[in-house]
Amino acid sequence: MRTAVFALALLAGCGGASGAAPGAALSPSYATSLGSTSASMPSAPALPSRASVQADLVVRPDVLVLGFALQETDTDPQRALAAAQAAVQNLERQFKEATGGASTARMLGASFTTVFTEKAESEGEAVSTAVDGVIEVRLAPELDFWARSRLAAAVAQVRREVSAAVQAAKDGRRGATFGQPRAEVKEPEGHRAQLTEQWLRRARSFAEAAQAASAPLLLVDCAPPGAIEQRPISLLEVGLSLSVACRLDALSAEPKRD
């Protein structure tokens, strides 16, 4: 018996089905971030570096995902949490208005950290409450590049307004951090059947090309496929990958019997 190993492992995408979210805790200085570095005004736009994406299947993204974290500080943790809740509700309202009702907020975590403030001697220790989540903006299938770009611009505008408001407060008790928005497929599991069938076609094609007439190749010891991974390509494309590993056994023909 001769044995060949066949494994089809595709590159992981950004974020998976639910996507990654920023950590709940912000820096003690309560710095506000727009999720990008500032730069001087360029004389001409730079061409972005776009590496090729390896994927089993390329589909149209249906959601724009933006991670965020908000922070409020108070001597009473319940008041700090209530202030954080109000800040999130205001953030939801701003995104809904900017996107024509296409956005929703999904909360992920909360953390509470004792901090020192200038008024600690008179007011006691303060508690910094940080909550984090994601804003999801629906991307209807019929939206073209420019319509999707307008939604991305609306998201960028809200990020800018919220960050400016935090900076204007200048009391060190509020914080806001945003990640970079990314285009995703909200329910990648809906493509599992197509991805699996595509993998099987490739495996069978390889087996047919590699096997000998007297020793057909058979798929054995297949591990259960993992989660579908996705990698954003553009506002119009997302690459989906399904990692599957199997062993191909080439069995010699049985000796002829008299």
Side-chain angles (χ1 to χ4, degrees), residues 2 205-212 215 217:
R2 61 186 180 88
S205 177
F206 174 83
E208 291 173 0
Q211 69 189 2
L217 296 179

Side-chain angles (χ1 to χ4, degrees), residues 92-104 136-138 151:
E92 287 183 274
R93 178 189 57 77
Q94 289 177 272
F95 274 110
K96 279 186 178 295
E97 292 176 355
T99 61
S103 68
T104 58
E136 297 178 343
V137 181
R138 295 188 302 277
L151 284 174

Side-chain angles (χ1 to χ4, degrees), residues 10-34:
L10 295 168
L11 293 179
C14 292
S18 60
L26 300 181
S27 64
S29 62
Y30 311 113
T32 299
S33 170
L34 286 175

Side-chain angles (χ1 to χ4, degrees), residues 70-180:
L70 300 180
Q71 181 174 263
E72 298 286 344
T73 304
D74 198 287
T75 54
D76 184 343
Q78 292 294 342
R79 285 200 302 266
L81 181 61
Q85 182 179 7
V88 170
Q89 291 171 344
N90 186 55
L91 186 69
E92 287 183 274
R93 178 189 57 77
Q94 289 177 272
F95 274 110
K96 279 186 178 295
E97 292 176 355
T99 61
S103 68
T104 58
R106 179 163 55 90
M107 301 308 299
L108 297 175
S111 66
F112 304 87
T113 306
T114 301
V115 296
F116 176 83
T117 66
E118 295 179 354
K119 299 180 180 180
E121 294 183 1
S122 59
E123 297 182 357
E125 293 181 335
V127 174
S128 173
T129 299
V131 295
D132 68 279
V134 293
I135 296 293
E136 297 178 343
V137 181
R138 295 188 302 277
L139 299 175
E142 66 273 12
L143 296 181
D144 63 8
F145 170 80
W146 297 110
R148 290 167 182 246
S149 294
R150 283 191 288 272
L151 284 174
V155 167
Q157 180 62 23
V158 173
R159 290 168 57 194
R160 180 178 180 179
E161 291 173 355
V162 172
S163 298
V166 170
Q167 290 177 333
K170 297 182 180 179
D171 57 4
R173 290 178 173 267
R174 302 180 63 199
T177 299
F178 295 97
Q180 289 292 348

